[in-house]
Amino acid sequence: HSALTQPASVSGSPGQSITISCTGTSSDVGAYNYVSWYQQHPGKAPKLMIYEVSNRPSGVPDRFSGSKSGNTASLTISGLQAEDEADYYCSSYTTSTTRVFGGGTKLTVL
Amino acid sequence: QLQLQESGPGLVKPSETLSLTCTVSGGSIISSSYYWGWIRQPPGKGLEWIGNIYYTGSTYYNPSLKSRVTMSIDTSQSQFSLNLSSVTAADTAVYFCARLGAGGYSSGWYDYWGQGTLITVSS
């Protein structure tokens, strides 16, 4: 399974909303509702933000939401804040019983 | 609070075997709900899934690395390990260990991560 496809970069101003897409195939993203999203600040370990497409772990602000349509999953951040500036990665389970990550998206808060 | 800590050599010579250990504290490594995994990140690049191991020793590996990867688990020491053989410069990366959270292997998500350790392959 090739890496899931994410835009290299997205940007937005404080208070705005942005959406990061994660495109896979019918063998991964499209096959199951097993997509998760991770936030990574420079030099830090990734942090779980969304699991099973749209569920937020305890402690993650409700400004973060996830969805899926067909082979594409999306992460939406509303009310952008300066601390949201980071790299974001999607991940999916696959029909080959493996896991795959997206290439990552750098979010810049202008 | 569950904590994971990677340990390893830092520098490995080309063609040799990279060996890393992840020590789990603040919780049990023996659980029917969780798997344990390794993920790596080359400098300036994205995350790459390496594989997962269950407390019983069953494993799942990335097909692109499968011929060189071996994972093991020592429940008495609350540790799991990664061996990657015949390394090249392309294996230079930060290696993270992580817990694949509740939901089962297929639906699970990585909810706890180690801080990561940089492994450089160079002579």
Side-chain angles (χ1 to χ4, degrees):
Chain A
H1 289 258
S2 301
L4 305 175
T5 301
Q6 298 181 231
S9 63
V10 298
S11 62
S13 300
Q16 289 186 333
S17 295
I18 63 95
T19 296
I20 299 172
S21 61
C22 170
T23 301
T25 69
S26 58
S27 296
D28 38 61
V29 174
Y32 311 98
N33 287 329
Y34 299 153
V35 176
S36 49
W37 288 90
Y38 303 86
Q39 175 192 66
Q40 186 181 34
H41 287 108
K44 300 295 187 181
K47 174 187 176 184
L48 177 69
M49 304 303 284
I50 296 287
Y51 65 94
E52 290 182 331
V53 173
S54 60
N55 294 306
R56 273 179 293 105
S58 174
V60 173
D62 59 7
R63 304 185 292 104
F64 291 83
S65 62
S67 62
K68 194 189 87 167
S69 177
N71 297 336
T72 298
S74 298
L75 173 71
T76 298
I77 309 173
S78 58
L80 266 180
Q81 298 183 5
E83 59 262 36
D84 299 333
E85 184 163 296
D87 294 326
Y88 291 84
Y89 295 90
C90 60
S91 179
S92 176
Y93 179 67
T94 82
T95 56
S96 302
T97 69
T98 61
R99 321 196 83 82
V100 62
F101 283 94
T105 298
K106 180 178 180 59
L107 169 61
T108 300
V109 180
L110 302 170
Chain B
Q1 177 78 343
L2 190 76
Q3 291 187 319
L4 292 84
Q5 178 68 58
E6 306 90 350
S7 57
L11 181 66
V12 182
K13 290 182 168 55
S15 81
E16 295 189 343
T17 295
L18 178 165
S19 295
L20 292 172
T21 295
C22 183
T23 301
V24 179
S25 60
S28 177
I29 201 171
I30 301 174
S31 171
S32 60
S33 299
Y34 305 117
Y35 283 73
W36 306 93
W38 291 97
I39 299 102
R40 71 180 183 178
Q41 184 172 37
K45 296 189 178 181
L47 301 173
E48 181 180 28
W49 178 72
I50 300 173
N52 282 99
I53 188 166
Y54 197 46
Y55 76 94
T56 58
S58 64
T59 54
Y60 298 87
Y61 296 146
N62 185 325
S64 68
L65 300 171
K66 189 173 184 176
S67 63
R68 299 193 293 129
V69 170
T70 303
M71 292 184 186
S72 59
I73 192 163
D74 184 344
T75 56
S76 67
Q77 298 292 319
S78 288
Q79 294 177 331
F80 60 102
S81 299
L82 168 70
N83 279 359
L84 181 65
S85 64
S86 304
V87 297
T88 69
D91 295 308
T92 293
V94 174
Y95 286 75
F96 295 100
C97 60
R99 187 182 81 169
L100 193 67
Y105 173 69
S106 56
S107 60
W109 49 88
Y110 291 107
D111 55 357
Y112 286 93
W113 295 68
Q115 64 185 21
T117 186
L118 174 63
I119 301 297
T120 301
V121 178
S122 175
S123 55

